[in-house]
Amino acid sequence: MSNPTGPTPPPLPPGIGPGSPQEVPPLPGTFPVDPATLPKPIRDEVLAPDPAAIDTSSEELKDGQNHCPKCGATDIRQRPGTDKLVCLYCRHEWHGQGVEEAFGLGEGLDDLQGTVVASGAKDIADDATHLMTFKCTGCGAEVTVNTENAMTARCHWCRHQFGVNEQVANGAVPDAVLPFRIKKDDAVQRIRQFVDKRRLFALKEFKEQFTPENVVGVYLPYMIVDGRCSAAVAGEGEIKTREYTRGTGNNKKTYYDADVYQVRRQVDFTVDDLHLESNRARGQLDTSVNTNNIINTILPFDTKNAVKWNASYLAGFTSEKRDSDVEQLRPRLEDQLLSIARHQVEASTQRYDRGVRWEEESLDVYGTRWVAMYLPVWLYSYQQPGTGMLHYIAVNGRTGETMGSIPIQQWKLLMAAITAGTFIEAIVLAILGAQA
């Protein structure tokens, strides 16, 4: 008799199928596949140790109150132009603890192994709350801070000052902060000078609406990365052996003969305090809609002088929150490490006077250390009418380095180019006439 449902399937091998041991989740800490059977990149990732952590949290500030060590008041601010904190009640001043000294972050570059992540740089939890609530020790009232737009608040009953110093999983609290050193008046003057030098070609609406006093002091989130690496590059280098010209008149053409060599280089190196933007919006360098790349032109910052996180440094300033984790930033880190490696081997390729074209690159990262840090920037922004283009002028809050973008009137720029070209052409003709 035929089977109306079709042929009977062959029996499954032992141990496979519903209810078999393969359907049971592996025990915690076990891996159901022999790593030796996996491709090397996957095997290395599976066998890599979990990231080690550096605890940078401040036990003394977890209640949200930063007390003056002399009188106990909580109305604390940064003293403008310095890295010091000042009590607004008794005027006592003190310096925040250096983060490198506190946690040994300036040491051990040659011994880095695996991934070391400071507690303020841990992965952001998707469900983390933005609201932080503190109980005031002065009057018992509850004070809430929304970390989406503020890091400090004042008790509306007794006027105690609170700051978010506890490291929460929403990315709002870094490990360290580099305080502003450049004052607002200085930043305004630098921005004014920058625009004055370019005012001739600036858009009329921009000149009419330009108000540098509206500059904002903002702390931008960065990952500061140390690393120990090895890189290898390979390609072709050329050494010129002869240069000659063929043809006559306008048909002349210059030719080069060169010996071609296979070039390979390998370099071991460490990096100290590499800066990576950790806010996706700020790291989006779309030059058709914004000039975020301006921020990179005012680097570097003296991150060696950063202090242990204390929300009191943010009083009077705004801040942006980190929204990128270590693994999301790793591809950008590797790109920068390869750029450093290419620069490292340049000195050894000078004999190839026709240059070297690198065709192969490889990178081994033996160890990295990640620290979340707020860096200070004075920022002036302008949205160009019609196009919606966002122009920024930025001042490094430590060094005063200034760079920016201003909207220009294209016709003025074109006229200047034509005029300059005509002037240069007239000079050339005069020289040729004098030589005739």
Side-chain angles (χ1 to χ4, degrees):
M1 179 182 294
S2 62
N3 186 349
T5 61
T8 303
L12 293 172
I16 296 179
S20 70
Q22 291 195 14
E23 294 294 309
V24 179
L27 295 174
T30 65
F31 193 73
V33 178
D34 181 5
T37 64
L38 299 173
K40 186 178 184 304
I42 301 177
R43 181 172 69 248
D44 292 345
E45 185 174 346
V46 169
L47 296 178
D50 292 334
I54 302 173
D55 185 7
T56 62
S57 59
S58 299
E59 288 293 332
E60 66 276 14
L61 299 175
K62 277 193 173 182
D63 64 354
Q65 295 185 5
N66 182 22
H67 294 275
C68 171
K70 184 175 181 180
C71 71
T74 62
D75 206 353
I76 312 297
R77 294 285 189 279
Q78 178 195 354
R79 182 181 175 185
T82 75
D83 294 349
K84 293 182 177 181
L85 294 173
V86 58
C87 173
L88 299 186
Y89 183 76
C90 71
R91 312 309 297 180
H92 177 64
E93 298 179 4
W94 69 99
H95 196 288
Q97 186 178 15
V99 69
E100 286 213 345
E101 295 77 8
F103 304 106
L105 299 180
E107 305 169 354
L109 290 180
D110 294 330
D111 302 318
L112 282 177
Q113 188 74 31
T115 303
V116 180
V117 180
S119 53
K122 292 188 298 185
D123 287 356
I124 299 169
D126 293 334
D127 58 349
T129 181
H130 301 298
L131 300 178
M132 295 289 294
T133 302
F134 303 96
K135 183 174 284 296
C136 179
T137 57
C139 65
E142 289 190 343
V143 179
T144 299
V145 181
N146 185 348
T147 58
E148 283 281 59
N149 48 44
M151 295 298 287
T152 60
R154 189 184 291 275
C155 175
H156 51 278
W157 293 107
C158 69
R159 308 297 291 169
H160 267 309
Q161 185 77 21
F162 288 85
V164 180
N165 292 302
E166 183 179 356
Q167 289 176 340
V168 289
N170 65 6
V173 180
D175 301 291
V177 57
L178 185 62
F180 275 88
R181 184 70 66 83
I182 299 295
K183 298 180 181 180
K184 181 174 181 177
D185 290 346
D186 189 357
V188 168
Q189 185 62 26
R190 291 171 186 268
I191 292 174
R192 192 185 300 279
Q193 291 174 354
F194 180 88
V195 171
D196 285 346
K197 292 179 181 179
R198 297 155 180 85
R199 186 175 289 274
L200 177 62
F201 301 105
L203 199 68
K204 180 181 178 182
E205 292 86 346
F206 174 79
K207 290 187 288 187
E208 292 173 346
Q209 300 170 19
F210 177 58
T211 50
E213 291 76 17
N214 291 342
V215 64
V216 176
V218 57
Y219 280 103
L220 298 180
Y222 277 76
M223 286 286 197
I224 307 301
V225 188
D226 300 332
R228 183 171 69 90
C229 325
S230 176
V233 292
E236 291 186 346
E238 296 184 359
I239 298 178
K240 184 174 70 175
T241 58
R242 188 165 66 120
E243 178 181 337
Y244 53 96
T245 302
R246 286 180 177 173
T248 58
N250 294 332
N251 295 322
K252 283 185 179 180
K253 191 172 183 179
T254 301
Y255 294 87
Y256 300 90
D257 288 345
D259 291 335
V260 180
Y261 298 85
Q262 291 293 322
V263 182
R264 295 182 180 275
R265 294 290 187 270
Q266 194 273 336
V267 60
D268 298 324
F269 63 99
T270 59
V271 293
D272 188 11
D273 285 10
L274 192 65
H275 301 34
L276 295 177
E277 299 101 334
S278 56
N279 180 279
R280 283 193 292 268
R282 199 59 56 205
Q284 180 57 253
L285 305 181
D286 185 352
T287 55
S288 65
V289 295
N290 64 54
T291 57
N292 282 341
N293 57 312
I294 292 300
I295 305 300
N296 292 324
T297 65
I298 62 171
L299 297 177
F301 288 83
D302 56 328
T303 50
K304 295 295 182 186
N305 294 316
V307 297
K308 190 176 175 182
W309 170 253
N310 189 320
S312 295
Y313 281 103
L314 265 66
F317 300 101
T318 63
S319 62
E320 291 187 355
K321 205 169 62 169
R322 174 175 70 91
D323 59 7
S324 298
D325 295 328
V326 167
E327 291 306 317
Q328 294 168 330
L329 293 172
R330 199 177 291 275
R332 198 188 312 166
L333 169 67
E334 292 175 354
D335 284 344
Q336 293 201 22
L337 293 177
L338 279 172
S339 295
I340 294 171
R342 288 191 291 270
H343 179 72
Q344 290 282 320
V345 302
E346 274 184 9
S348 68
T349 62
Q350 298 300 314
R351 64 186 294 256
Y352 302 100
D353 53 7
R354 289 274 294 164
V356 177
R357 181 177 65 253
W358 300 118
E359 298 173 336
E360 299 177 18
E361 297 175 331
S362 64
L363 176 70
D364 290 316
V365 181
Y366 303 123
T368 54
R369 180 166 55 203
W370 301 71
V371 176
M373 188 179 296
Y374 270 165
L375 301 182
V377 175
W378 289 105
L379 203 60
Y380 180 82
S381 62
Y382 176 79
Q383 188 166 30
Q384 186 173 345
T387 66
M389 177 76 169
L390 276 172
H391 295 267
Y392 296 105
I393 303 174
V395 179
N396 186 311
R398 298 287 295 186
T399 66
E401 182 71 24
T402 305
M403 184 53 66
S405 166
I406 63 174
I408 61 174
Q409 299 188 72
Q410 297 290 343
W411 68 269
K412 280 190 175 182
L413 194 62
L414 180 61
M415 289 298 296
I418 293 174
T419 302
T422 303
F423 179 69
I424 293 172
E425 183 180 359
I427 293 177
V428 172
L429 290 175
I431 293 174
L432 292 176
Q435 294 176 345

